[in-house]
Structure formats: structure tokens, C-alpha cells
Amino acid sequence: MTDPAAVERDAAEAASAFAHPAVAPDVTAAYGQHPDHVVDFYAPRGETTGPVPLVVVLHGGAWRAPYDRQHATPFADFLARRGFAVANVEYRRGSSLPHQNAGTPVAGRWPETFDDVAAAMDALPGLVADALPQADVRRVVVTGHSAGGHLALWAAARHVLPHGSPWRLSAPPMLRGVVALAPIADFTVAEELGVCGGASAQLLGGADHWDERLPSADPAALLPTGIATAVVQGRDDIVVPQAVAEAYVAAAAKAGEMVGLTLLDGVGHFPLIDPAADACAVVAEEISQLAW
């Protein structure tokens, strides 16, 4: 049973992260026809000299419809105030109504969630040229929180997807690196721990599709990538526990790849994207180390 004090702390951290008002973007552009096929762009704040790195943000929320990119806009603005150009990506998530015998909204859509992330990443260089010309598309770092951390790792691993996958790239994506924040990075461990009420299995369409779809969706199965990767994780996270990140890092090591793991004492799930939290500054520094 989870410690009541830990639950109380997690609730307070979530309340703090979600208390910030949404920050309007400088430009919004579409990468497809669906209403969710949009990217919000944030220009770097203050004076800049020359092109600046682009940070692509993939928001979390267990791939569920009630959680859209708006809750990540204060984080996107925080990064813009650190001198980055920022692209906050929206994508299709699960139904807002419970189904598949689930007691909560179902996580993600197969294959639409993956279709959208792949399409957005492929479209970004062209969109950035018009929407955010000060962004240097040769210096791109992808970051994401929780379910978005999964998508960030997946976006960097498309060149190692199984042959025949519609999302597979013929060469590694042009990325400086990935900074995954408390990511759902190992689906098997996440399901064993009941992370987000079985969201990983729901994303894949349920138990009947688990074995078939896992090799195309689980970051722990898509290694090595050859892309510089860092994971930032709170030791006190009860939403996506530390064991999930450690399982991914171990899988990478087994595949011959080193993944950086930064564990933050006294930090839970939400401070990583809370501009008022010290942990958010740590995240910005991790991104800076890859981007500049």
C-alpha cells in the first residue's frame, strides 16, 4: 500500500504544477488535418544572437484525452525563457469516455497516437522554417514527461523499429538527444507496477495485442538507438516509479548503450515540469548539455 504521506505529497506537487496559467504560444501551425494535429511554437525570450536550439516538448497525461498540451505550456514557456526555441506538440490521445471494460478513460489510440508523433516530427523542420526561423533545426532535443517521455524516446528510436513498420526511418533522426522525464520507458515493468492504471496495455489496444505491438512501441525494446539519451527521475515518484526508468537504463546497457540517469532526492512526478520547482531547472540544464 502506498504511504498516505507520499500520496499527499504527490497531490500537492500536482496541484503546484497545474496551478500555473496556460501560456499562449507565439505561433501555432498544423501538421495535419485533425484538430489535434497542431504544434505551438514559443520563441526564445530576451535577446539572442544567431540561431538557437529547438526543444520539442511531448506532453504527458497517460496518453488520455483529458490531458492535452495546455498543461505543458508553462513548462514550454520556462524553456523559452531559458533561451530555447520550443515546439509543444499535440497528438491524438485516448477516448474521453471509458470503454474496453475500463473504469477510466482509455489511454491512447492505436495506431493514431504513433501516426501523429511520427508525422509531427517529420513536419517540424518545414514548420519551423516559417514559424520560428531563429530555431536551429540542426540542434534539436526532444523532451517529454511521463507518457510524453515514452513518446520522446520512441521518436528517437524510429530507425530501429521493426522492418515493415510504417513509422520506421531509414536513418537515425537528426537529433542532438533526448531528455526523458519520468518516462514510461519499459512497458513490461510499468504493467507489473500498474502504472497509470494499466495505460501501457491500453495504448497497445489491450492484452490481445500486447505481444504483437510491444516490439513497435516499447522503448526498452528499441535499443540501441545511437542517440544521446538522458533520463531525469524523482526518487519519490509514485506515479511512474523509479524502477521503470532503471529498467530502461538496464535494457540500454544490455544493448551496449549508455543512458544517463539523474535521480532527484525528495522529488516526485510533477516537479519536473513545474517552473516553480528546483527540479525544473535541473531539467533545463540537462537539455542545455545536449543542445548547445
Side-chain angles (χ1 to χ4, degrees), residues 8 42 73 81 246 248 282:
E8 184 176 355
Y42 295 79
T73 63
R81 288 187 279 112
E246 290 177 333
Y248 174 76
V282 175

XYZ file of all heavy atoms in Angstrom, residues 8 42 73 81 246 248 282:
67
model
N -0.206 12.290 -0.304
C -0.466 13.696 -0.012
C 0.571 14.598 -0.677
O 0.237 15.645 -1.239
C -0.461 13.911 1.501
C -0.822 15.335 1.922
C -0.895 15.493 3.424
O -0.766 14.481 4.142
O -1.068 16.640 3.890
N 7.108 28.550 -29.361
C 7.497 29.600 -28.425
C 8.878 30.099 -28.824
O 9.842 29.320 -28.866
C 7.519 29.068 -26.992
C 6.156 28.663 -26.488
C 5.592 27.437 -26.864
C 5.420 29.501 -25.658
C 4.332 27.066 -26.423
C 4.158 29.128 -25.200
C 3.626 27.919 -25.595
O 2.371 27.553 -25.157
N 2.200 24.076 -21.255
C 2.603 25.387 -21.780
C 3.456 26.193 -20.797
O 4.386 26.882 -21.234
C 1.390 26.206 -22.248
O 0.531 26.486 -21.120
C 0.596 25.467 -23.312
N 12.154 30.928 -21.861
C 12.818 31.950 -21.050
C 14.261 31.571 -20.730
O 15.047 32.420 -20.305
C 12.018 32.202 -19.764
C 10.718 32.960 -20.021
C 10.004 33.357 -18.741
N 9.227 32.261 -18.189
C 9.500 31.627 -17.060
N 10.574 31.968 -16.351
N 8.728 30.647 -16.615
N 14.874 2.743 -14.250
C 16.039 1.883 -14.057
C 15.989 0.674 -14.981
O 17.034 0.223 -15.486
C 16.115 1.446 -12.601
C 16.477 2.594 -11.650
C 16.491 2.190 -10.203
O 15.758 1.233 -9.837
O 17.221 2.822 -9.423
N 14.688 0.630 -17.978
C 15.066 1.103 -19.316
C 16.575 1.294 -19.418
O 17.211 0.893 -20.403
C 14.347 2.412 -19.626
C 14.795 3.027 -20.937
C 14.367 2.508 -22.146
C 15.670 4.114 -20.947
C 14.790 3.064 -23.353
C 16.099 4.670 -22.140
C 15.650 4.143 -23.342
O 16.081 4.693 -24.529
N 16.842 21.728 -13.120
C 17.720 20.596 -13.413
C 17.420 20.057 -14.810
O 18.333 19.744 -15.586
C 17.558 19.488 -12.362
C 18.369 18.260 -12.741
C 17.976 19.994 -10.987
